[in-house]
Amino acid sequence: MQEHNWLLRLENISAGYNGDTVLSDVSLQISDNDFMGVIGPNGGGKTTLLKVMLGLLTPFYGEVIFNRELLTPYNIGYLPQMSEGDISFPVSVRDIVMSGLMQSRGAMARMKRADRERSATVMKDLGIWHLRNRCLSELSGGELQRVYLGRALIGSPRLLLLDEPGNFVDSSFEQGFYDMLKELNKKMAVVMVSHDVGTISAYVKSFACVNGKLHYHDSGRITNDQLKDYGCPIQLIAHGDIPHTVLQKHIDGDINI
Amino acid sequence: MEISIFNYDFLIRSILAALFGSITAGIAGTYIVSRRLVFLSGGVTHASFGGIGMGYFLGVNPIVGAALFGMVSAMGIEYLSHKQNVKEDSAIGFLWAFGMAVGVIFIYITPGYTPNLMSYLFGSLLTIGGGDLAALMVLSLVMILFFALFYRTILYISYDEAYARTFSRHVTLFKYLLIVLVSLVIVLNIRIAGVVLVLSMLTIPPNFVMLFTKNFKKVMIWSVVAGFVGMTGGIAASWYLDIPTGATIIFVMVAGWVMARIIKGKTGSSRSRRDIKNKLYRKEVIYKDVK
Ligand SMILES: Nc1ncnc2c1ncn2[C@@H]1O[C@H](COP(=O)(O)OP(=O)(O)O)[C@@H](O)[C@H]1O
Ligand SMILES: [Mg+2]
């Protein structure tokens, strides 16, 4: 079996807000080919876990260790659960997508022709090319989420953190979205927070259950009993083995209107 | 009107003040309006009045005192906003009144006459000297350079600070630099429009421009242009009508904004016009396909 390099390691992390502990004694390692589903009840600390990885929240205790040859805290792709951005801000969709390129640049970064071309590719892939000159207040929730997804992907990060991407993804985009993540996973590690254990278990390679503590589950299949053992009381919507291709629509034939 | 040496000198000074005033206020104004820091800037403006009073009392240039008070209070508010248990707007309201109170007390206990006090409250081009203009010119250059060099970083920090922290370790530094620059812009423009009116010099041009474009860079550039037109218009009107300059500038700007709103209201938003254009375009394409 091929050896895989580790990217990021959390060691005995305790973290929270205003002195209240949300995560206690969490340890986790992420390797460069991981596709990890993060599950757990609301308020269990999933978003907090991602913030600790990103350095947005300094833990009370414990260490976040980066394998600096492969990853730094400043080149992680991140899709927040709720963006703090002000959608009435005078900025275009294209500029927001291109902000994902800042990770590899200094404070004096300029956007060049190649950057604009790269942003065009990403926007076309995500089906938001026609929105490129709009400002954010002119978008629907789902469109906005794709813009933020573009921002997370454009820099081709080694590690991609997605916080509940399914929330705004409509069913017509869902299948393509998960397939895209599978493809991206060949080049980057993916950590995805989701409530939809059933759907994602067809894609993820491992699970982390976060409910104050973290339980790591080394496979993409997880049962209700295991969830109960981990102290992760969430409902399984479907079992991971069910192939979801049944629902895939075929629209590649000739259409004559 | 007779053109005397006095008039000529005044004309040059006015145009320079309008130029540097609109450059600094246009750039800083776009930043504070986009980031919704207008209330904070109001707090900084009024806190700086404490420095004006202190300047009078100690016999130093009141603008130097104002700059000191402005910068310290701006950094103080920025610092407090990081602490989760401080209500930022209350802190601002507190500083706002405290600065004014300190200013009034200092001016009261200053022995004798306090020259030009009204000009600090309501602005006056007549009292602007070469030193004030030089300071405004240097600040204009600093603003242009800073925003040109760090445009992307400033844009992205302003839009979404939390996300900016995922790619830059300098977010806090930039926030402090920006708020210090904004407070300097406010303080130096107090000479033109006064403590009471200066904030509108910053906020009206970007609000006017944002009726037409929603691009950060364009808003900045056109705010400078709109500010310059509004200021020269206001200066000219105040000259011919012999009314206070600062107030006239603000009056002209507000009038311009109201007019733009009305015109905009009649032709509809750019969005709906673009939608119509898009629809027409789509029809054309479908038509071609069928053929
Ligand atoms: N900014 C914050 N300030 C204070 N408490 C917070 C903050 N963000 C989250 N929390 C608390 O931390 C706990 C975990 O939140 P979170 O990590 O967002 O959970 P999850 O993403 O698993 O739903 C919750 O109890 C929440 O109330
Ligand atoms: Mg969450």
Side-chain angles (χ1 to χ4, degrees), chain A residues 17-18 22 41-49 51 81 163-164, chain B residues 84:
Chain A
Y17 308 88
N18 306 320
V22 173
N42 280 326
K46 304 181 292 296
T47 299
T48 305
L49 179 74
K51 283 186 180 165
Q81 181 174 12
D163 202 345
E164 307 205 15
Chain B
Q84 277 155 338

Side-chain angles (χ1 to χ4, degrees), chain B residues 4-21:
Chain B
S4 65
I5 288 173
F6 170 77
N7 276 341
Y8 181 73
D9 181 50
F10 180 71
L11 187 71
I12 296 290
R13 265 193 291 151
S14 302
I15 289 174
L16 288 178
L19 179 66
F20 300 139

Side-chain angles (χ1 to χ4, degrees), chain A residues 17-18 54 56 73-76 78 80 83-92 95-96 98-100 102-103 105-111 116 133-138 148 151-152 257, chain B residues 30-31 34-36 84-85 147-156 158-170 174 210 213-217 219 270-271 274-275 278 282 290:
Chain A
Y17 308 88
N18 306 320
L54 285 158
L56 293 179
Y74 299 105
N75 54 31
I76 299 174
Y78 177 44
S83 172
E84 287 176 25
D86 174 4
I87 60 162
S88 68
F89 195 93
V91 63
S92 66
D95 277 341
I96 292 301
M98 286 204 292
S99 68
M102 292 295 284
Q103 330 190 305
R105 319 287 169 87
M108 295 203 282
R110 312 221 85 79
M111 293 299 157
R116 261 181 285 278
N133 293 321
R134 292 234 188 132
C135 56
L136 305 181
S137 57
E138 298 173 336
Y148 292 138
R151 175 176 76 170
I257 303 169
Chain B
T30 303
Y31 175 72
S34 308
R35 276 207 72 185
R36 298 171 188 262
Q84 277 155 338
N85 50 3
F147 276 78
L149 282 178
F150 301 111
Y151 173 70
R152 288 279 161 182
T153 302
I154 293 169
L155 169 66
Y156 294 138
S158 307
Y159 170 64
D160 185 347
E161 187 190 321
Y163 186 81
R165 284 184 196 280
T166 69
F167 66 74
S168 170
R169 68 190 77 205
H170 306 303
F174 267 93
M210 276 197 239
T213 176
K214 285 273 172 68
N215 174 304
F216 196 60
K217 194 186 281 174
V219 173
S270 59
R271 167 73 199 279
R274 187 171 54 228
D275 274 0
N278 275 349
R282 268 189 222 121
V290 173

Side-chain angles (χ1 to χ4, degrees), chain A residues 62 66 80 109 134 141 145 193 208 247:
Chain A
F66 285 84
R134 292 234 188 132
Q145 192 76 349
V193 175
L247 298 171

